Amino acid sequence: MNNDNDQYFIYQVKPKSIHITSRHLAMFTNISESRRYENTAELRGSAALFDAAHAVATGELSHFRRAIPRLKTYSKDQAAFTCAGMAVMLTYMHTPFTAGTLRSVLVGAHVCSDGRAGAMIAGMRRSGDLYPSPNSKGKGRAVELAVGKDLEQYLCARMRVEIEAMAQMSPIARASLPLLDSDPQIISRAIVHVGSQLFAALEHFGANSNVINFFAQRDFGILLLAEIRLGSRTSPQGEPFAFSLSHAAKRLGISRSHVRKLVSDAQDAGFVEWRPTERLMRLHKHFINALLDHHAIRFELLAEALAQDARLANERLTA
């Protein structure tokens, strides 16, 4: 168990009570990478993580279904979601950026090819999700861009889903929830911290990154991954569970054949075992571990961001 000064999580399901003290609020330090990964490994062993991961999946799908059609593109296409997230992150960091800057960031982070990045950015500009900043001093290719309000609010709502899911096992997340409406910058700062640290953190667990990438690189893949996580909710890890192609297709608003192709490809890749005649699916152990790694890393980064916010707030109150 970690020391109190860097304990972001309670490692039991639904603890009876959590008292937020000044020690909790002051617990953020410039955490080393070794400490972060030790925290992440301990978090992955928590029974509460599985429940929190399912809560994120529920929130992701609910958020997708409520979104206006234009914004659904950013949920069904992980590269587009990452592109939008990076644009929002640069905005919150007060870092002026052009289309070329954003494209270079995407290619440098191995999100997509240069051509794909250029096409996504051009589409975002046509839709108004990216537009010329009123404060831009450049013109043409040098024009600085700003993020449309609809897209900004959409991504902030997605981040809130994770904070709410994490609150069941994290004192700092639970303490932050009542403050999100009064201080929206809590979410914006979380987006910056998670976005700026995530790729390096995921690389540390690179052996499992191919599982996430397999779904992320396919149309509607990440949302299907959320459906699979929800389907496994009532079964012990690794046990077969009921999974209906028709039900998943209806919930996502896509064709049954597209879902079948994605599931079939996942089986060929060795991630799942699919028994279509029995309508049963089983997740392989390395697939489960990859999902838990992914959520544990994101939750750890998010906890760091929220703890830093709380520490700064505490310093202002006691100054």
Side-chain angles (χ1 to χ4, degrees):
M1 182 61 67
N2 299 341
N3 295 329
D4 285 341
N5 284 343
D6 55 13
Q7 182 181 335
Y8 301 147
F9 296 94
I10 296 296
Y11 294 95
Q12 298 87 30
V13 179
K14 297 179 181 178
K16 292 182 180 179
S17 63
I18 297 175
H19 300 288
I20 304 303
T21 65
S22 59
R23 184 171 57 186
H24 281 120
L25 295 176
M27 66 188 171
F28 181 83
T29 58
N30 290 321
I31 189 167
S32 68
E33 285 196 357
S34 60
R35 175 76 267 178
R36 171 185 293 162
Y37 297 138
E38 187 178 333
N39 289 349
T40 302
E42 189 169 7
L43 175 59
R44 204 187 82 177
S46 162
L49 178 61
F50 199 67
D51 288 334
H54 283 292
V56 171
T58 301
E60 285 176 350
L61 291 167
S62 175
H63 190 248
F64 171 76
R65 287 193 291 271
R66 293 197 310 268
I68 60 177
R70 187 186 85 247
L71 295 178
K72 287 186 176 182
T73 300
Y74 299 105
S75 285
K76 73 185 187 70
D77 183 332
Q78 186 67 10
F81 184 80
T82 304
C83 179
M86 287 184 167
V88 170
M89 183 181 75
L90 291 170
T91 299
Y92 288 154
M93 293 174 69
H94 305 290
T95 303
F97 67 94
T98 65
T101 305
L102 183 56
R103 189 169 63 208
S104 297
V105 171
L106 291 167
V107 174
H110 307 292
V111 174
C112 59
S113 67
D114 184 70
R116 177 80 196 284
M120 286 192 301
I121 294 167
M124 292 173 72
R125 295 187 68 175
R126 285 193 299 272
S127 68
D129 290 330
L130 288 176
Y131 63 93
S133 170
N135 301 320
S136 175
K137 298 178 181 177
K139 296 182 179 180
R141 292 186 178 181
V143 68
E144 294 167 1
L145 300 176
V147 177
K149 273 295 175 190
D150 285 347
L151 179 57
E152 178 186 352
Q153 291 170 0
Y154 184 73
L155 294 185
C156 285
R158 278 288 298 271
M159 179 61 76
R160 184 170 185 142
V161 164
E162 290 193 73
I163 297 174
E164 290 173 345
M166 195 172 79
Q168 63 183 292
M169 61 177 178
S170 167
I172 203 65
R174 188 173 299 184
S176 299
L177 276 180
L179 306 176
L180 297 182
D181 291 327
S182 59
D183 185 4
Q185 288 194 7
I186 292 175
I187 290 181
S188 66
R189 288 188 289 265
I191 287 174
V192 169
H193 185 75
V194 175
S196 62
Q197 301 286 326
L198 183 61
F199 284 102
L202 288 175
E203 195 167 327
H204 181 82
F205 293 93
N208 287 326
S209 63
N210 62 321
V211 175
I212 302 298
N213 288 339
F214 173 87
F215 287 92
Q217 293 169 2
R218 286 161 171 77
D219 194 28
F220 280 94
I222 286 294
L223 289 168
L224 179 63
L225 185 57
E227 279 286 340
I228 290 173
R229 296 206 307 271
L230 287 182
S232 66
R233 175 69 179 85
T234 57
S235 298
Q237 294 187 37
E239 293 299 315
F241 59 92
F243 185 83
S244 165
L245 295 179
S246 299
H247 182 68
K250 183 177 180 180
R251 281 170 59 87
L252 298 179
I254 57 178
S255 70
R256 189 174 181 275
S257 60
H258 186 59
V259 175
R260 178 185 289 276
K261 178 69 166 62
L262 289 172
V263 171
S264 178
D265 287 348
Q267 178 166 256
D268 291 343
F271 300 144
V272 304
E273 179 186 341
W274 166 235
R275 307 175 194 170
T277 55
E278 302 173 68
R279 295 185 178 182
L280 291 176
M281 181 180 287
R282 184 174 71 84
L283 308 185
H284 290 173
K285 186 64 177 177
H286 71 283
F287 179 86
I288 296 171
N289 287 342
L291 292 178
L292 294 179
D293 276 346
H294 184 77
H295 283 292
I297 290 167
R298 287 192 64 91
F299 284 157
E300 178 66 27
L301 292 173
L302 188 50
E304 289 176 18
L306 296 176
Q308 184 178 32
D309 259 314
R311 181 182 66 83
L312 294 175
N314 192 56
E315 287 178 354
R316 288 195 296 269
L317 288 173
T318 57

